[in-house]
Amino acid sequence: MGSARLTSRRRAAVVAALMLAAFTFNTTENLPVGLLSLISADLRVSLAAVGLLVTGYGLTVAVVSLPVAHVTRSIPRRHVLSGLLGLLVLASWVCALGPVSYGLLLVARVATALAQALFWAVMGPVAVGLFPPERRGRIIGLLSVGGSLATVLGVPAGTWLGGHGGWRAPFLVLGALALVSLVAVAVLLPTSPPEAGHAAYGVRPDARRFAVVLVTTALSVTGAFAGFTYVVPFLGEVSGFSRDSAGALLMVFGVAGPAGIAAAGPLLDRFPRGRTGPTAVPGPPP
């Protein structure tokens, strides 16, 4: 990554841009949760069809992450991230500008999901590769905070904006945020082959432990998405809350995430074996 040649301000700016990108991707992913009724009424489709925009999105990310990461493994990360953020900008503004059919919205969501699948695969190694090993836990924590703020801030704010300015308005804002990240990454991130990054390899890969982590993550994420997708209709139709309170309730739901991540980040540097075991400690290639 050539991290030794980067100033501390430039490295911090890259991390900030990746945090913003993570926030934008995660907000885009979950935003229809707060806009189910609005999108359903405007496009004249069922709530289940709109819910598919979230569950189908998550399924796409899960299925294609590994294949697209493998196909693009030799492309410089700066080019990859710039292309992914450019796709996020385009897909967001397709949803926001002009008349949109359900089919076009679904295509835009699938395109965004494909971009997010690869984004999460490359973002972590890119960011931690800019810093020495003793600071990488905090960097991972910061990136996770950026993504978790989507639940605490992004989705509630998007829900509020959609309720007052139409469901397309939040996508216009998200496209603008993605454009900021795109410019920062394209300008500040060095161009180097992936194998040059000293955080790209594990010291002692363990297939069994990797499989356990993979299965556990898949089950937990699937369960979370299954419940979270329809939480707004549930709050209104079952629990009796008003539509105006949905944003505040989503904020309450997500506030513990960033707090927990912020507290855990420094601990990753002090107790690296406590993350997933000794085989997960990153190191240089053999």
Side-chain angles (χ1 to χ4, degrees), residues 164-279:
H164 290 78
W167 67 265
R168 293 175 176 83
F171 288 99
L172 183 64
V173 175
L174 290 170
L177 294 179
L179 183 60
V180 173
S181 299
L182 167 60
V183 172
V185 168
V187 171
L188 299 176
L189 188 65
T191 303
S192 56
E195 61 270 16
H198 53 273
Y201 298 87
V203 177
R204 293 182 298 274
D206 188 308
R208 182 181 60 84
R209 292 190 179 187
F210 174 76
V212 170
V213 171
L214 186 63
V215 171
T216 302
T217 302
L219 292 175
S220 60
V221 171
T222 300
F225 268 99
F228 187 60
T229 298
Y230 298 101
V231 67
V232 171
F234 180 86
L235 290 172
E237 298 174 11
V238 178
S239 301
F241 289 97
S242 66
R243 178 182 296 180
D244 293 337
S245 64
L249 291 171
L250 289 174
M251 183 177 295
V252 172
F253 174 83
V255 72
I261 293 170
L267 298 178
L268 299 182
D269 295 322
R270 295 183 60 187
F271 308 102
R273 291 177 181 267
R275 291 178 290 183
T276 54
T279 60

Side-chain angles (χ1 to χ4, degrees), residues 16-282:
L18 293 175
M19 289 178 64
L20 179 60
F23 169 83
T24 306
F25 266 117
N26 276 17
T27 301
T28 301
E29 179 180 12
N30 295 302
L31 184 58
V33 170
L35 305 175
L36 282 177
S37 299
L38 295 176
I39 298 176
S40 173
D42 185 44
L43 300 184
R44 299 181 180 179
V45 297
S46 66
L47 288 176
V50 182
L52 183 62
L53 298 176
V54 179
T55 55
Y57 189 113
L59 181 62
T60 300
V61 172
V63 170
V64 307
S65 291
L66 184 58
V68 296
H70 180 75
V71 170
T72 61
R73 66 190 183 281
S74 61
I75 302 176
R77 305 293 87 173
R78 174 173 169 265
H79 298 162
V80 170
L81 288 171
S82 297
L84 298 178
L85 291 170
L87 183 56
L88 176 59
V89 173
L90 179 61
S92 298
W93 285 349
V94 162
C95 298
L97 302 175
V100 180
S101 65
Y102 178 79
L104 182 58
L105 181 58
L106 182 60
V107 169
R109 294 286 294 174
V110 170
T112 308
L114 292 173
Q116 182 167 337
L118 184 54
F119 174 79
W120 285 108
V122 303
M123 176 190 66
V126 166
V128 301
L130 299 173
F131 295 86
E134 63 271 13
R135 296 182 60 187
R136 291 178 183 171
R138 279 167 285 184
I139 299 304
I140 290 295
L142 287 174
L143 297 176
S144 299
V145 166
S148 296
L149 283 175
T151 305
V152 180
L153 178 61
V155 174
T159 301
W160 180 88
L161 181 59
H164 290 78
W167 67 265
R168 293 175 176 83
F171 288 99
L172 183 64
V173 175
L174 290 170
L177 294 179
L179 183 60
V180 173
S181 299
L182 167 60
V183 172
V185 168
V187 171
L188 299 176
L189 188 65
T191 303
S192 56
E195 61 270 16
H198 53 273
Y201 298 87
V203 177
R204 293 182 298 274
D206 188 308
R208 182 181 60 84
R209 292 190 179 187
F210 174 76
V212 170
V213 171
L214 186 63
V215 171
T216 302
T217 302
L219 292 175
S220 60
V221 171
T222 300
F225 268 99
F228 187 60
T229 298
Y230 298 101
V231 67
V232 171
F234 180 86
L235 290 172
E237 298 174 11
V238 178
S239 301
F241 289 97
S242 66
R243 178 182 296 180
D244 293 337
S245 64
L249 291 171
L250 289 174
M251 183 177 295
V252 172
F253 174 83
V255 72
I261 293 170
L267 298 178
L268 299 182
D269 295 322
R270 295 183 60 187
F271 308 102
R273 291 177 181 267
R275 291 178 290 183
T276 54
T279 60
V281 181

